[in-house]
Amino acid sequence: MNYEVTHLDALESEAIYVMREVKAEFERPVLLCSGGKDSLVMVHIAQKAFSPCKLPFPIMHIDTGLNFPEVIDFRDKLEEKFNCRLLVASVQESIDKGRIKEEVGPTASRNRLQIVTLLDAIGENRFDAVFGGARRDEEKSRAKERFFSFRDEFGQWDPKAQRPELWNLYNGKHRQGEHFRIFPISNWTELDVWRYVERENIELPPIYYAHKRKVFERDGMLLAADHVQHSSEEEIFSAMVRYRTLGDANITGAVLSAATSIEQIINEVSSTRLTERGATRADDRVSDAAMEDRKVEGYF
Amino acid sequence: MELLRFATAGSVDDGKSTLIGRLLFDSKSVFEDQIEAVERTSEQMGADYTNLALLTDGLRAEREQGITIDVAYRYFATPKRKFIVADTPGHTQYTRNMVTGASTADLALILVDVRKGITEQTKRHAFISTLLGIPHLVLCINKMDLVGYEKEAFDSIRSEFADFAAKLQIHDLVVIPISALHGDNVVDRSLNMQWYGGASLLHHLEEVHIGSDRNLIDPRFPIQYVLRPQRDDYHDYRGYAGTVASGSFRIGDEVLILPSGFSSTIVEINGPQGPLQEAYPPLSVAMRFSEEYDISRGDMICRSGNQPKVAQGVDAMICWFTPDSFLESKRKLVIKHSTNSTRCLVEELIYRLDINTLHREELVDRLTMNEIGRVKLRTMKPLMFDAYKENRSTGAFILIDENTHDTVGAGMILGSTD
Ligand SMILES: Nc1nc2c(ncn2[C@@H]2O[C@H](COP(=O)(O)OP(=O)(O)OP(=O)(O)O)[C@@H](O)[C@H]2O)c(=O)[nH]1
Ligand SMILES: [Mg+2]
């Protein structure tokens, strides 16, 4: 008998271990799902972790009001597909209630605003463990994350004073009002995610695959003409594109691509020379520490 | 493809992050937008070269202070192997973060600045690496460019380290002269050091034999969570979920349940991919047993002929992490071991290690931050454990402060004191 375990099997078991640990040690976990590939991989693994039981915690979507419609369609099917409870926290509602003000100016987005909506939802529901699909290979401040990442009563991350985290012994002790962000797929790369999507045949929103779309170019990124305001100088053209990440439609760029199958995407991702966020996210370009600054305040 | 996890170690400023940056860059594992961002930042910071340490020093505070504060994890692959790198801080204040990164490593890269030589922190990190049972060490004697790539400087540090290392249990040590800044002997052999006949660092990382550190002998399955579906079609179903810590389990095996001491037989194993005949590390599975005793989180499944120790007295080496309090006798702490958590009492601090001499200081009454010592603990309920050197999963624990909730120490079990 050879006891070989593939890399994907090891990553999958690690994620399952983390999820079960959370369910065993926390009162009220919740799984954040953006409708993107990383969250959907997480949901898929969570099903396995607790099979044949129902998913023992709800899924929560932070609806910015600016999501791609294809993602919202997909989200609306989650509840039935996975037989789980879906919560939606809406940024628009937070604005209407006066909790936050819409940003103005050329770099305005609802990216930062969701932090308030997210933290409000965590507080109102008294969630103490919040699963996120962030991966360490995505971005340089995420590279510093623990699996169990402590957040104080203001929802803040203190990257200079993280708890030591040895072996797979996770310390989730906290007081009321504090919570943990939990990152079960910390050690996965973009390629690992795609290989897993292929192996497990996981359904994703269609815009991850190449499709024809009206776009225009800004700062070296292709933005969707239907979703982003553009000036008359910005020339609109039709192209075969796909999305590597799914953020808000107004700040997420598409990449030129002919990849209509998972296999083709894997080939494309294997040979790319740009990181997924570098290629597609205007929100990270605002400043060098944009992600860290958002994370400190409570971002995903 | 095989996976090697390695961590950097060594004193502050000896070039750990620069080395990882260089390794990633020269092995073409850096994306264009990442290198552009690093070039931009280097320029803004007024450096006259691209500071490759910025590839891992990603926090604002790290960039401002020019040091690493917390571990950064990076992932890359060559045609031969996959790598997970933990770039850890050298600063004494952040030793706990070094331990965090090193705890899961198969290999440690210990850097030394050839001009500064072996410091107390180099020794501390080397000792911690052996304490953690990291099977392979590579001593990188760095900044060779600053001593004209001279062999004498290299030889003198190498022998200084050898004197210290003789007192440690190191099974595999390789010494490489490098310049992280210029890339000598990092990915390719250096033309500046023809006197060095060994391999480049990357070549060594690709070739070093890593017989898996999994223990496939001693069957240990800590119960993590009990699956009880509230569904009619699964009436009476109880699945015992967990991750195999060591050894293997087959359907039909008669197993022993600790601490109760009851026996049962495995009738079903469900893995992430469906039913399995056999489970082994590091798979996360759920098992069902023929007799349903009261089994819960914290219990340990093993075999009657191969059991862990079940005891309340624990003899262990401790690394103490916090500046806020001491480890001293009579202190009460929370201990987290495998899937068990309980309270424990420090019965005795047997000795503290002087890191410089590795001398055992017996007449001490406390461990302060970053100190290492040997203790006797008494736990409130029995733990099921093995010696750390035989079983990393069942021989490790962490200590948690009951009031602050901080992780204040890490322990490696030597044996039982009962
Ligand atoms: N001349 C020369 N300078 C080097 C070399 N390697 C690193 N340095 C310089 O040494 C300084 C410290 O390098 P870092 O890589 O940040 O050191 P570190 O070990 O990661 O430091 P901490 O993470 O804070 O412990 C930087 O200014 C580097 O440019 C080398 O091979 N030659
Ligand atoms: Mg560093």
Side-chain angles (χ1 to χ4, degrees), chain A residues 144, chain B residues 8 11-18 53 56-57 62 66-70 87-90:
Chain A
K144 301 266 166 184
Chain B
T8 58
S11 281
V12 67
D13 276 350
D14 284 0
K16 297 176 288 299
S17 303
T18 307
T56 56
D57 287 342
E62 292 179 324
I67 59 166
T68 304
I69 292 175
D70 211 332
D87 180 33
T88 78

Side-chain angles (χ1 to χ4, degrees), chain A residues 11-255:
Chain A
L11 290 172
E12 180 185 53
S13 275
E14 177 176 71
I16 290 175
Y17 171 82
V18 170
M19 290 178 173
R20 288 171 172 170
E21 202 60 14
V22 167
K23 178 58 195 155
E25 296 223 316
F26 289 82
E27 300 278 323
R28 297 172 69 86
V30 65
L31 190 151
L32 288 177
C33 181
S34 66
K37 61 185 187 311
D38 303 321
S39 348
L40 291 167
V41 160
M42 229 179 14
V43 177
H44 184 84
I45 295 174
Q47 297 269 304
K48 293 188 177 207
F50 300 100
S51 158
C53 300
K54 253 180 76 163
L55 203 62
F57 36 74
I59 293 180
M60 182 160 76
H61 179 246
I62 306 296
D63 188 335
T64 59
L66 297 172
N67 300 92
F68 285 101
E70 292 87 347
V71 175
I72 297 298
D73 287 347
F74 200 88
R75 175 201 75 190
D76 291 340
K77 289 186 298 193
L78 281 179
E79 205 157 9
E80 202 179 333
K81 187 168 169 176
F82 293 112
N83 181 27
C84 61
R85 198 153 69 87
L86 176 73
L87 306 173
V88 177
S90 143
V91 173
Q92 188 59 51
E93 253 170 53
S94 305
I95 295 174
D96 296 344
K97 277 195 275 182
R99 294 280 297 137
I100 38 180
K101 274 213 182 66
E102 192 93 76
E103 289 179 3
V104 289
T107 59
S109 81
R110 288 189 167 179
N111 212 344
R112 245 196 149 92
L113 303 188
Q114 356 175 16
I115 298 173
V116 175
T117 309
L118 170 64
L119 293 180
D120 282 355
I122 291 172
E124 280 158 25
N125 292 285
R126 289 179 290 116
F127 291 131
D128 54 0
V130 180
F131 289 105
R135 309 187 324 264
R136 289 168 173 164
D137 95 314
E138 270 180 278
E139 198 277 335
K140 59 188 182 304
S141 64
R142 285 187 167 165
K144 301 266 166 184
E145 273 288 8
R146 302 280 192 255
F147 275 87
F148 276 42
S149 186
F150 178 77
R151 296 292 185 273
D152 68 13
E153 69 260 55
F154 302 104
Q156 299 182 100
W157 182 52
D158 184 354
K160 293 194 299 262
Q162 300 199 78
R163 284 185 188 170
E165 189 169 271
L166 288 96
W167 302 290
N168 58 357
L169 296 174
Y170 303 117
N171 172 5
K173 290 234 180 317
H174 62 279
R175 294 194 169 71
Q176 210 172 10
E178 300 168 342
H179 74 276
F180 273 80
R181 298 293 169 85
I182 313 284
F183 302 111
I185 60 166
S186 284
N187 279 330
W188 297 50
T189 63
E190 185 186 13
L191 210 48
D192 293 328
V193 168
W194 279 110
R195 291 200 172 119
Y196 190 73
V197 167
E198 178 182 47
R199 186 182 93 177
E200 302 285 310
N201 203 5
I202 297 173
E203 191 190 345
L204 299 179
I207 57 179
Y208 273 118
Y209 300 90
H211 56 284
K212 205 163 185 174
R213 186 178 280 270
K214 285 206 197 85
V215 293
F216 66 92
E217 195 177 328
R218 181 185 293 168
D219 300 332
M221 270 190 330
L222 296 178
L223 296 171
D226 292 344
H227 297 290
V228 192
Q229 296 218 336
H230 43 278
S231 69
S232 52
E233 280 112 75
E234 289 172 317
E235 187 199 331
I236 292 170
F237 57 99
S238 214
M240 282 296 276
V241 297
R242 67 175 206 89
Y243 287 92
R244 271 176 85 183
T245 66
L246 297 183
D248 278 0
N250 63 329
I251 52 167
T252 305
V255 293

